Amino acid sequence: MRDLALLLSPRIMGVVNEMRGSATGARKRRWILGGVGIAFWAAMFLVSARVLRYFQSVEVIGDVLAHHLLSMILLTFFSLLIFSHIITALSNLYLSKDLELCHATPASLEELFLSRVLYTIVDSSWMVLVFGLPVLMAYAWVYEPGPVFYLTLAHSGVAMVLIAAGIGILFTMVLVNVFPAHRTRDILMLLVILMVVALYLLFRFLRPERLVDPDAFFSAVQYMSALKAPDSPYLPTHWVTEVLWRHLGGAPTPYYGFHMVLLWSTALALLVINVWIAEAIYFSGYSRSQEAKRRRAGGAFFLGLLRRVFAAPLGRDLAAVADKDIRTFFRDNSQWSQLILLGALVVVYLYNFSVLPLERSPIRLEFLQNQIAFLNLGLAGFVLSAISVRFIFPAVSAEGRAFWILQSAPMSMRRFLWGKLAVYAVPMLVLGEILVVFTNRLLQVTPFMMTLLAATMFLSVFGIVAMGVGLGALYPKFRYENIAQVSTGFGGLIYMMVSSLFMAAVILLEAAPVYVIFMADARGETVPLVHWLWIVPAFGLVLALQAFAVIKPMRMGARALSENDRP
Amino acid sequence: MIRLIDLTKTYRGFTAVDGIHLEVPRGRLFGFLGPNGAGKTTTIRMMAGILKPTRGRIELDGIDLAEHPSEAKSRVGFIPDRPFIYEKLTGMEFLRFMGGLYRIDHGVSPEDRALELLELFELSDWRDELIESYSHGMKQRLVMCSALLPAPPILVVDEPMVGLDPKAARLVKDIFRDQAASGTTVFMSTHSLEVAQEVCEEIAIIQSGRIIARGTPEQLGQQAGVDGTLESVFLKITQERMSIP
C-alpha cells in the first residue's frame, strides 16, 4: 500500500501547492467561485425545502410525493454518477499524460489501478456534493430526522458512489478493450449527445405545460401514475431510498438491515471484481491506447461535394482553407455531433411556435401574431448568437498550434478572416431564414412582415457571423485541451453581450417604423408622407448598424492577428 | 537572398533579438547557431512572418517582408522546430491544402509534385492516413514536403533534425545540400554542431540577441584561435562572450 500512497501524493501535493502559492488573481477567482458555489448551494436548499414544505402540507399524497421525489433524485444522480465515472475513468485510466511515467515505475499494477480509481471517484462525485447535498439537507430540515439519518446518509452515499464507480469503471475497461481509447471517447461523446437529444425531444413533446392544466387529468390516481418514477427492488437507489426514508418518517420496514447489507456488499463486491478484471485486462487496454493506429479518412464524396459548394467561388487559397476547415470539422466527432443537438433545438423551436395558445389571448389575433413574429427576430438572433459562440467564435482559435502555417503563408490575415466569414455565413443564413420564415408561416404574418423580417434576418446574420469571426480573432486561444473551452472564456462572454446588444439595437430601431407601417396596412390606409421623413432614416440607421457590425470587428480581428506578438 | 537589417525584437522590456545585420547570398547553406535562449527561434519566426519585428527590416529575395508580406512569404518555405499540423487531414490533403495556400501553378502539377515529395520522404504509404496517426518524425518529414512543395527560393528551417531517425536525418541533409546547389538559400538554425559542421557553408553564432561571430567553420576556428571541432570553437566563442562584463 506504500505505492498507493505515493501514487496519490502528486495530486494531493498539487492541490496543496496551488492553495498555498497561488497568485492574487487566482485567489480572487477562487473566492468568487466559492461565493457563487455557496449562493447556488443555498438557493438549491431553499427551493428544495420550499417544495418539500408544500408537499408536506398536501394531505394524503404529500408524503408519497416526497418519497417519489427522493427516489427520482437518487436515481437521476446515480445515472449521472455512472456516466461521469465512465468519462472520467477513460481519462484517468487511459488518456492522462502522466500515465506513461506511472506505468514505467516499479509500482504494482493493482496499486496503480486503485490510485486511478480513487482519482476517478473524487473527480466524478464532487457533483453529488454540490447538487445532491442541499436537496438531501432540505429533506432533513423539513422532516427533522434524528442524528442516525446523517450517519446513514454519509455511509449509504459513499456506498452508492462506490457502486456507480464500480459499474462505470468496469464498463470503461471492457469498452477500451473492444475499441481504442480515443475511439471510445468519440463513441461516448456521440452517445451522450444522442441521449441528451432524445431526452430533450421526449420532454418537449410530452408537453409538460399541460401539467398546469387541470382538464388534462381526470383523477389523482392518473396524476400520480403520470408522476411515478421508474423503480425496481434490484436498483441500489431503491435500497438507499428505503433506508433514508425510514429515518424521514416512513413506516418501519423489516428490510432495513437487508437493504443496508445489500448496499455495502454490492459496493465492496464491485470493487473486488474491478480489481480482478483490471489485473486481467487493464494493462492490455492501456497498451492498446498507446499504439499508433493507421486511421483512414472517410467521407471523401460528401466532403468533396461540400468543398465544391462552399469553397470553389472563393479563390484557390481561401478554397484550400475552407476545404481544410470542412474536413477537420466533419472528422472531429466532438464537433459534428453537436449538429445533432442543433437540429433538435431547431425542431423544438419551431414546434413551440406551432403549439402557442394564441386563440386564448385577449389581444387581437392578427396584432398578436405579428407582434410575436417581430419579437421572434430577437429570439432567433439570440439563438444564432449562441450557435455562433460555439461554432464561429472559436473558428480562428481552431487553427490551434498549426496557426503558424497561416501566419507564414502568403495570405493576409484580413483575407483569411473574410474567407471564414464567407464560409460560415452560408449555413447561418440558411438557419436564420428557417427560424424566421417557418415561424412566420406558422404565425400567419402579413406579407409585409414576412418580407421585412426575412430581409432583416438576412442582413443581421452577416453582423452576427462577422462579430463571431472578428472577436474570435481578437481573443484567440490557440493552446487548448478542448475547443469548447474557447467559447466559455472571456472573449466568448464579450461576444454574447455584443451580439445580443446588436440584435436588440436592430429591433429597437425597427420597432416604431414597423408599428406605423403595420397599423396603416391593417387599417387599409397609406402611411402619411410626414412619417416617411423619420421611417426612412430609421431603416437607414439599421443598414448602417449592420454594415458597422460587419466591418468593425473584422478590422479589429485582422489587426490583432497581424500584430500578433506572442513569443 | 536574405537580408536582415537592424533586426530587433523586444518583449515587455526584454530584448530577444538586438539589432542583427545579416546578409545571406543566393544558393548558400547558412547555419545559425547559439545557446538556448539566444534569439535563434525569435529571429527565424520574424523571418517567417510569424512575429513582427520591433525595429529593423527583413528582405527576402529582394522583397521587403513588412511592405509586401504576401509576396515575400510566397518565396519562403518554412520548417518550424515542432511540427504542429492539422491532425484531421491526411498527408496528401495537407499537401493539397498547402498547394492551394501558396497558389502553386508552375512547372509540374501540384498533385504530381506532392506525390514526388511524399515518395522522396518515404511517406507514400501513409499519404491517405490521417496525420493524427503519424509519428513525430513522420510529421516533421511531412512539414518538409510542404515547405519544398512551392519550390521556394528560400528555405527557413528551425532545428530540422529533432525527431528524425538517422536515415531521415541523412536524407534531409542531402536534400538541403541539393537545394543550395540548385540556387535555393537555406537558412537553418540548429543545436547540433555536428550537423552545422557537416552541411553548412557559412555559420553565424548568436548570443543574447546579437551576432557574435560569423564565417565558414574554418574562419570561425581562426577567429576563436582554436584548432579543432566546431564544438570547441562554439564553446570558446560563447564562453568568451559570457565572461565579458
Side-chain angles (χ1 to χ4, degrees):
Chain A
M1 283 297 119
R2 195 175 145 266
D3 286 346
L4 179 62
L6 276 172
L7 287 164
L8 292 172
S9 62
R11 175 75 76 97
I12 298 164
M13 284 191 291
V15 173
V16 171
N17 288 342
E18 201 179 322
M19 292 291 197
R20 247 194 234 149
S22 55
T24 323
R27 214 172 294 161
K28 204 184 282 177
R29 202 164 49 235
R30 217 165 32 229
W31 275 109
I32 293 170
L33 278 176
V36 170
I38 289 167
F40 179 77
W41 207 93
M44 278 204 62
F45 175 81
L46 289 174
V47 170
S48 308
R50 198 174 153 70
V51 169
L52 289 171
R53 279 251 184 266
Y54 170 72
F55 281 173
Q56 222 182 14
S57 69
V58 180
E59 281 180 32
V60 187
I61 61 165
D63 280 349
V64 183
L65 280 174
H67 188 188
H68 272 323
L69 187 68
L70 182 65
S71 164
M72 281 166 76
I73 289 168
L74 288 176
L75 186 63
T76 308
F77 280 132
F78 188 62
S79 322
L80 287 174
L81 270 173
I82 292 178
F83 208 81
S84 174
H85 275 96
I86 292 174
I87 301 278
T88 325
L90 197 62
S91 166
N92 278 329
L93 284 163
Y94 296 99
L95 302 173
S96 278
K97 286 179 182 149
D98 60 336
L99 276 169
E100 221 170 81
L101 183 78
C102 294
H103 276 284
T105 63
S108 76
L109 188 72
E110 188 186 315
E111 284 175 273
L112 176 57
F113 173 74
L114 279 173
S115 72
R116 294 290 148 162
V117 167
L118 282 171
Y119 279 10
T120 306
I121 289 174
V122 171
D123 290 346
S124 306
S125 32
W126 63 267
M127 180 190 71
V128 179
L129 279 179
V130 175
F131 290 97
L133 211 53
V135 180
L136 294 167
M137 286 299 109
Y139 267 94
W141 175 261
V142 172
Y143 287 91
E144 295 170 8
V148 186
F149 168 79
Y150 299 97
L151 195 70
T152 313
L153 178 65
H155 81 73
S156 59
V158 170
M160 196 171 93
V161 167
L162 281 178
I163 294 172
I167 296 170
I169 294 169
L170 198 61
F171 182 70
T172 307
M173 282 196 287
V174 173
L175 216 57
V176 173
N177 266 271
V178 180
F179 307 102
H182 288 92
R183 203 94 194 115
T184 304
R185 187 172 52 182
D186 291 348
I187 292 166
L188 286 173
M189 281 296 297
L190 194 62
L191 278 178
V192 176
I193 285 175
L194 288 175
M195 202 170 79
V196 170
V197 166
L199 281 175
Y200 180 52
L201 292 178
L202 187 74
F203 180 73
R204 187 62 199 93
F205 293 139
L206 277 174
R207 300 186 65 181
E209 66 272 16
R210 286 183 311 153
L211 285 174
V212 291
D213 184 356
D215 300 335
F217 296 96
F218 298 108
S219 66
V221 176
Q222 203 182 15
Y223 189 75
M224 287 299 297
S225 72
L227 277 176
K228 194 164 168 52
D231 200 5
S232 156
Y234 298 108
L235 280 173
T237 51
H238 174 82
W239 311 331
V240 181
T241 309
E242 294 312 308
V243 166
L244 290 179
W245 191 247
R246 168 71 190 82
H247 294 284
L248 292 168
T253 159
Y255 298 115
Y256 180 83
F258 178 62
H259 282 147
M260 207 113 83
V261 171
L262 258 182
L263 195 63
W264 270 104
S265 57
T266 308
L268 295 174
L270 270 170
L271 192 66
V272 173
I273 291 169
N274 261 283
V275 173
W276 284 348
I277 301 279
E279 277 168 359
I281 65 172
Y282 169 52
F283 185 70
S284 62
Y286 172 73
S287 172
R288 275 165 59 89
S289 73
Q290 301 304 300
E291 292 163 15
K293 285 273 187 302
R294 283 190 171 213
R295 283 192 66 181
R296 287 251 160 195
F301 173 77
F302 174 64
L303 291 170
L305 190 72
L306 276 175
R307 182 184 49 179
R308 277 194 290 281
V309 172
F310 286 107
L314 298 174
R316 281 193 64 197
D317 54 349
L318 286 184
V321 176
D323 182 35
K324 181 267 298 172
D325 283 350
I326 293 167
R327 280 172 201 274
T328 45
F329 180 82
F330 282 101
R331 283 177 189 162
D332 187 344
N333 292 346
S334 64
Q335 291 286 311
W336 70 260
S337 53
Q338 293 189 32
L339 293 179
I340 301 172
L341 271 178
L342 185 62
L345 180 83
V346 172
V347 168
V348 170
Y349 188 95
L350 297 177
Y351 176 76
N352 284 341
F353 279 85
S354 73
V355 294
L356 272 180
L358 295 177
E359 64 286 349
R360 292 191 204 168
S361 163
I363 306 170
R364 222 175 86 204
L365 189 58
E366 193 191 358
F367 184 75
L368 184 71
Q369 282 168 325
N370 287 283
Q371 197 180 34
I372 290 177
F374 188 64
L375 293 176
N376 174 45
L377 186 69
L379 191 60
F382 183 77
V383 169
L384 289 188
S385 302
I387 292 166
S388 181
V389 79
R390 175 63 195 86
F391 291 104
I392 301 174
F393 179 79
V396 171
S397 302
E399 296 294 331
R401 301 187 80 174
F403 188 55
W404 66 268
I405 295 171
L406 294 164
Q407 286 178 301
S408 59
M411 180 172 63
S412 69
M413 285 298 141
R414 194 168 148 259
R415 186 169 164 76
F416 163 64
L417 290 187
W418 281 97
K420 291 260 180 201
L421 171 68
V423 170
Y424 282 107
V426 177
M428 291 295 275
L429 277 174
V430 173
L431 186 62
E433 292 301 329
I434 285 176
L435 293 183
V436 168
V437 173
F438 277 76
T439 44
N440 284 356
R441 278 189 70 86
L442 288 169
L443 290 166
Q444 296 172 324
V445 299
T446 62
F448 162 71
M449 286 298 279
M450 176 67 100
T451 314
L452 177 95
L453 295 176
T456 307
M457 178 46 79
F458 185 88
L459 293 174
S460 303
V461 164
F462 288 99
I464 291 169
V465 175
M467 283 189 279
V469 173
L471 292 178
L474 202 59
Y475 300 100
K477 190 175 181 182
F478 295 111
R479 295 178 187 203
Y480 52 80
E481 287 271 323
N482 179 351
I483 188 77
Q485 294 167 345
V486 177
S487 317
T488 51
F490 179 70
L493 185 70
I494 295 281
Y495 169 72
M496 278 310 286
M497 284 162 62
V498 173
S499 180
S500 305
L501 279 176
F502 164 67
M503 280 314 291
V506 169
I507 288 174
L508 281 176
L509 283 170
E510 281 191 351
V514 166
Y515 178 77
V516 170
I517 297 171
F518 174 76
M519 290 312 280
D521 198 26
R523 291 190 198 111
E525 298 165 359
T526 52
V527 180
L529 189 66
V530 67
H531 281 316
W532 286 109
L533 291 174
W534 62 270
I535 288 176
V536 172
F539 280 122
L541 267 178
V542 172
L543 286 176
L545 180 65
Q546 308 273 16
F548 181 77
V550 172
I551 295 165
K552 185 69 181 170
M554 292 296 280
R555 275 195 185 155
M556 285 163 70
R559 196 180 314 126
L561 286 185
S562 305
E563 289 176 1
N564 169 42
D565 206 28
R566 288 168 310 111
Chain B
M1 184 174 116
I2 299 170
R3 282 182 75 197
L4 309 181
I5 304 146
D6 190 26
L7 192 64
T8 304
K9 182 71 194 175
T10 312
Y11 300 115
R12 295 181 205 99
F14 168 72
T15 305
V17 176
D18 194 1
I20 287 182
H21 287 273
L22 205 62
E23 198 169 314
V24 184
R26 186 174 175 273
R28 180 72 49 89
L29 212 166
F30 191 88
F32 198 48
L33 306 184
N36 290 336
K40 295 190 299 293
T41 297
T42 304
T43 307
I44 280 196
R45 286 168 73 82
M46 284 192 281
M47 289 167 69
I50 294 172
L51 279 179
K52 202 173 172 183
T54 310
R55 197 178 67 226
R57 278 169 50 209
I58 299 167
E59 277 181 22
L60 301 165
D61 209 24
I63 300 163
D64 190 302
L65 181 63
E67 280 175 26
H68 307 284
S70 294
E71 219 177 313
K73 285 177 189 178
S74 68
R75 284 161 167 77
V76 179
F78 173 52
I79 301 168
D81 54 346
R82 281 172 293 179
F84 291 117
I85 41 181
Y86 305 108
E87 305 265 312
K88 295 286 178 190
L89 296 186
T90 66
M92 191 63 196
E93 285 170 352
F94 177 65
L95 292 184
R96 268 191 215 119
F97 162 73
M98 293 300 273
L101 213 53
Y102 280 77
R103 300 174 187 234
I104 300 166
D105 51 10
H106 52 78
V108 289
S109 80
E111 197 83 5
D112 290 344
R113 173 119 179 105
L115 289 171
E116 197 182 288
L117 286 164
L118 286 170
E119 187 70 43
L120 179 67
F121 282 94
E122 296 176 353
L123 289 169
S124 293
D125 287 350
W126 288 76
R127 70 181 188 201
D128 294 323
E129 311 290 335
L130 292 184
I131 294 169
E132 66 185 25
S133 56
Y134 286 25
S135 69
H136 180 91
M138 287 161 76
K139 287 180 191 167
Q140 188 72 353
R141 279 183 277 151
L142 186 64
V143 171
M144 289 182 187
C145 289
S146 73
L148 293 172
L149 189 68
I154 297 170
L155 270 178
V156 176
V157 193
D158 195 4
E159 299 292 349
M161 304 305 169
V162 177
L164 295 183
D165 60 33
K167 193 179 167 198
R170 164 60 51 207
L171 176 74
V172 168
K173 282 185 246 177
D174 290 345
I175 288 172
F176 287 167
R177 275 200 207 98
D178 292 347
Q179 288 287 319
S182 64
T184 304
T185 311
V186 183
F187 188 96
M188 178 175 81
S189 97
T190 178
H191 273 115
S192 167
L193 299 172
E194 286 166 19
V195 172
Q197 184 153 30
E198 193 184 339
V199 298
C200 295
E201 298 158 285
E202 194 180 353
I203 289 166
I205 298 176
I206 181 172
Q207 190 172 23
S208 306
R210 291 183 183 174
I211 304 282
I212 55 168
R214 184 186 168 173
T216 60
E218 296 74 32
Q219 286 170 338
L220 288 177
Q222 283 164 11
Q223 278 178 43
V226 175
D227 188 18
T229 60
L230 185 59
E231 185 181 57
S232 48
V233 173
F234 176 83
L235 289 174
K236 178 87 190 306
I237 291 175
T238 50
Q239 272 164 12
E240 264 176 14
R241 196 74 194 177
M242 279 176 79
S243 60
I244 296 171

